[in-house]
Amino acid sequence: MKKFEQSGDYFKLNLIPLKKIHLESNSVGELAANGNIQYVYIFSAIAIFILLIACVNFMNLSTARSSNRAREVGVRKVLGSPRKYLIAQFLTESIMVTLAAAVIAVFVALALLPLFNQMAAKELTVTSHLVLRLVPVLLAVVLIIGFLAGSYPALFLSGFQPINVLKGKLAAGFKGGKLRSFLVVSQFAISIFLIIGTLVIYNQLKYIQSKDLGYNRTHVLIVWGPFGESARAIKDEVKHIAGVQNATLTMCLPTVNYGNSTSFFKDPMVDQKKALLTQEWTVDADYINTLGINMLSGRNFSKDILTDSTALVINESAAKLLNFTDPLNQFLYAPADNMATKMNKYHIIGVMKDFNFKSLRENVTPLLLTLGEDRGALSMKINSSNIPLLLDQVKDKFKQLASDQQFRYSFMDEDFDSIYRAEERMGKIFITFTSLAILIACLGLFGLAAYAAEQRTKEIGIRKVLGANVATIVRMLSVDFIKLVIISILIASPLAWFAMQKWLQGFAFRQEIQWWVFAVAGLGAVLIAFITISFQSIRAALANSVTSLHSD
């Protein structure tokens, strides 16, 4: 230990509070699969963004329809009502609307809780203890959101001058509302940000599913041990089943997060500074062929060659670190005991292509395969159109030779998918939140478009009388909104690129963000906005001009 420490090496113990393990631990081999605190932060931020979009819509629609309440404000002020009472009235209205929304949200959340549990693979329940904690928080949120959403409309509406209101000099309409334009840009920027994030997550998951891992995980059936003395007999028997192409007996599989780190040396003298820290997996002679791992040079293990008991097959990463001119037939040494008083000598017989034996979040590290017997699991490469029948046949063989053990099995491609199930669930929840944000943004835009069309009814009537067609009027009413959406795209795109680059850095193997992601998000936002606006614009353009102008 003194020599170990003098060479600059050390052991480090890390402690973590018990309650933080589930969300904040990055260790492998925990009692159960851990969560990720980053996802909690991400979805909390999205929930806040959606609330902000709703607040923005309330502000927009309240100020846009200000002329409808202008005379009320003017009359109240003439009758002596102070401005603070008007502000209090409008804030109270906003808080009451928020409270009603909160009550509806509670019942909706209770109704959708089973669906959320299914989507997020959770088992959340509503308990009395949870209710006691949430009610004060919910009331605080109602007050904060109600005040936030109602503050500007309250200040805006209460600031009208009675003389201007009662003389009809109050300006109305969409034009001139700089703050309103800013709010429209803000909510669509959030929606476009979420669209880009969803596309990037989908693209990364698709890349993971299609990436060449260096081994073939499809049609590999794994029967889990541990097996006893009957392990070899079970393997030999299942290899004779029709539809089983090959079988290998080992627990060292790339989808089970197996780890067995050790040190190898290029000479029998132990020098920690020259150690090759690597994974050492014990496999049988059928391992490489069963998993379809490619050999770059040399040969695979052979059970007929006695000297292969001290042979090694190494991967590309190990070969690069060893830096042999030709690694074949070179020797490596490993301590036979913890005190390194005796060294085992191995010879390299083959170099295999790198394969991802860990998550794609990590780089491929050095890996050495040794020939031996590991009875942890039996993996079979199968080729059968009748999987249930083949499973029954394997189960029968298992019961005959290991009747005292439970028959447990899985498929390697399903085990691989489970590694990235958190990202898959995140993608589904992201899509749900994004759809909700877009829907809320479109509702607000729909209301603004309706009001803008209403304010320009007489102008539209005059234009139609002078010969303007429907397309011209739709373009006139849509262009202001579309400009705001384009500005939103320019703001959201770099922010989304930066945020998703941070997320992708969690993967050693990742798909770069493609240009089409921004193109699809931008065109989609413009199209959604145009469809939302066009409904009201076309309706206004098709209105009877005589009806809109008869009073003049």
Side-chain angles (χ1 to χ4, degrees):
M1 181 58 69
K2 288 183 179 180
K3 291 181 179 179
F4 179 80
E5 293 175 344
Q6 288 172 358
S7 65
D9 297 314
Y10 61 91
F11 284 113
K12 183 178 181 181
L13 300 177
N14 295 307
L15 299 178
I16 183 171
L18 190 62
K19 291 183 178 180
K20 292 187 176 181
I21 290 176
H22 178 64
L23 289 177
E24 299 183 29
S25 173
N26 295 320
S27 301
V28 298
E30 299 277 14
L31 293 177
N34 288 337
N36 191 329
I37 190 65
Q38 288 186 350
Y39 293 161
V40 177
Y41 293 149
I42 289 171
F43 290 125
S44 298
I46 292 174
I48 293 172
F49 286 157
I50 292 176
L51 270 177
L52 288 176
I53 291 175
C55 292
V56 165
N57 281 342
F58 185 85
M59 293 181 189
N60 273 334
L61 297 176
S62 296
T63 55
R65 290 191 168 272
S66 57
S67 60
N68 293 349
R69 304 195 66 176
R71 292 188 182 278
E72 174 193 346
V73 173
V75 171
R76 284 178 176 273
K77 283 194 169 184
V78 168
L79 294 177
S81 179
R83 186 180 182 186
K84 62 180 180 179
Y85 289 168
L86 292 172
I87 292 175
Q89 174 193 341
F90 292 128
L91 284 177
T92 302
E93 290 176 3
S94 174
I95 292 172
M96 293 302 295
V97 169
T98 308
L99 180 61
V103 172
I104 295 172
V106 168
F107 287 104
V108 172
L110 290 174
L112 295 180
L113 185 59
L115 180 62
F116 175 81
N117 284 337
Q118 181 181 358
M119 182 186 298
K122 303 296 181 185
E123 296 181 0
L124 301 180
T125 56
V126 179
T127 63
S128 57
H129 177 68
L130 182 65
V131 171
L132 290 175
R133 292 181 60 185
L134 284 183
V135 168
V137 174
L138 188 61
L139 291 176
V141 169
V142 167
L143 291 174
I144 293 170
I145 297 300
F147 184 82
L148 177 65
S151 56
Y152 178 73
L155 294 172
F156 180 79
L157 294 172
S158 64
F160 291 153
Q161 295 298 321
I163 188 170
N164 293 329
V165 170
L166 298 177
K167 285 184 176 181
K169 294 182 180 181
L170 183 67
F174 179 77
K175 291 185 177 180
K178 292 183 179 180
L179 179 62
R180 192 154 57 247
S181 299
F182 169 76
L183 295 177
V184 171
V185 169
S186 300
Q187 66 178 349
F188 265 89
I190 293 171
S191 300
I192 293 165
F193 180 96
L194 294 177
I195 293 174
I196 294 172
T198 301
L199 291 174
V200 171
I201 292 171
Y202 171 79
N203 202 30
Q204 176 65 11
L205 291 176
K206 186 178 178 181
Y207 171 75
I208 289 172
Q209 295 293 334
S210 60
K211 185 183 183 300
D212 181 10
L213 301 173
Y215 67 93
N216 191 349
R217 68 180 185 272
T218 59
H219 299 101
V220 177
L221 171 65
I222 305 172
V223 179
W224 300 100
F227 303 101
E229 296 298 326
S230 59
R232 288 188 183 181
I234 295 174
K235 175 185 172 183
D236 292 338
E237 287 294 324
V238 298
K239 287 178 73 173
H240 290 95
I241 297 175
V244 177
Q245 296 178 331
N246 211 336
T248 180
L249 193 64
T250 182
M251 183 67 178
C252 306
L253 298 171
T255 54
V256 299
N257 206 10
Y258 182 84
N260 182 30
S261 297
T262 187
S263 294
F264 277 77
F265 303 86
K266 295 172 71 171
D267 56 65
M269 298 300 295
V270 177
D271 185 351
Q272 290 291 340
K273 294 182 179 179
K274 296 181 180 179
L276 172 67
L277 184 62
T278 177
Q279 288 284 307
E280 180 189 4
W281 288 9
T282 301
V283 301
D284 60 17
D286 295 313
Y287 184 83
I288 289 176
N289 291 332
T290 301
L291 295 188
I293 299 170
N294 295 321
M295 296 294 296
L296 295 179
S297 60
R299 63 176 178 84
N300 186 14
F301 295 113
S302 173
K303 57 185 177 182
D304 299 324
I305 302 175
L306 296 178
T307 56
D308 277 5
S309 61
T310 58
L312 294 174
V313 175
I314 66 176
N315 68 351
E316 290 178 273
S317 296
K320 290 175 183 176
L321 287 177
L322 289 170
N323 200 26
F324 286 123
T325 304
D326 182 6
L328 295 181
N329 299 316
Q330 298 289 345
F331 294 99
L332 291 179
Y333 302 86
D337 53 45
N338 291 335
M339 302 302 295
T341 57
K342 182 181 178 182
M343 303 294 286
N344 289 329
K345 184 178 180 181
Y346 297 88
H347 64 287
I348 300 172
I349 63 170
V351 179
M352 60 184 170
K353 189 179 171 111
D354 276 345
F355 68 93
N356 291 91
F357 57 88
K358 293 184 179 180
S359 164
L360 291 176
R361 301 181 187 94
E362 303 176 51
N363 287 309
V364 178
T365 55
L367 172 65
L368 279 63
L369 302 183
T370 58
L371 185 63
E373 189 171 271
D374 184 312
R375 301 172 180 175
L378 176 64
S379 302
M380 291 158 277
K381 183 68 175 179
I382 61 177
N383 182 15
S384 174
S385 58
N386 193 342
I387 301 297
L389 176 62
L390 187 144
L391 272 172
D392 289 338
Q393 292 175 328
V394 172
K395 188 175 182 179
D396 289 340
K397 297 292 184 183
F398 185 86
K399 286 184 176 180
Q400 292 173 15
L401 299 170
S403 58
D404 58 330
Q405 288 186 302
Q406 183 183 1
F407 181 75
R408 298 183 301 117
Y409 73 92
S410 67
F411 290 93
M412 186 171 282
D413 53 355
E414 294 178 353
D415 293 339
F416 175 82
D417 291 341
S418 67
I419 298 173
Y420 306 99
R421 202 154 286 158
E423 280 75 19
E424 185 179 349
R425 288 196 297 266
M426 178 185 176
K428 291 180 180 179
I429 298 174
F430 222 96
I431 290 172
T432 303
F433 276 148
T434 301
S435 302
L436 183 60
I438 293 171
L439 176 63
I440 295 173
C442 288
L443 287 174
L445 194 60
F446 185 85
L448 284 179
Y451 185 71
E454 178 186 328
Q455 292 297 309
R456 303 177 74 174
T457 300
K458 295 188 185 300
E459 177 188 349
I460 293 169
I462 294 172
R463 286 180 180 274
K464 287 184 68 176
V465 170
L466 296 177
N469 56 27
V470 174
T472 302
I473 294 173
V474 170
R475 184 171 62 252
M476 176 193 72
L477 292 174
S478 304
V479 65
D480 290 331
F481 292 103
I482 297 301
K483 286 179 181 177
L484 298 179
V485 175
I486 293 174
I487 294 172
S488 302
I489 295 170
L490 297 177
I491 293 173
S493 295
L495 294 176
W497 180 88
F498 177 78
M500 297 317 296
Q501 279 289 106
K502 287 285 187 183
W503 180 76
L504 287 171
Q505 285 175 6
F507 294 87
F509 299 88
R510 54 184 176 268
Q511 181 77 11
E512 295 300 325
I513 301 177
Q514 305 293 323
W515 65 269
W516 60 263
V517 169
F518 301 98
V520 169
L523 290 175
V526 170
L527 183 62
I528 291 170
F530 183 74
I531 293 173
T532 303
I533 299 163
S534 295
F535 182 83
Q536 290 292 351
S537 301
I538 293 172
R539 183 181 175 185
L542 293 176
N544 191 336
S545 304
V546 175
T547 303
S548 59
L549 297 174
H550 75 280
S551 60
D552 295 335

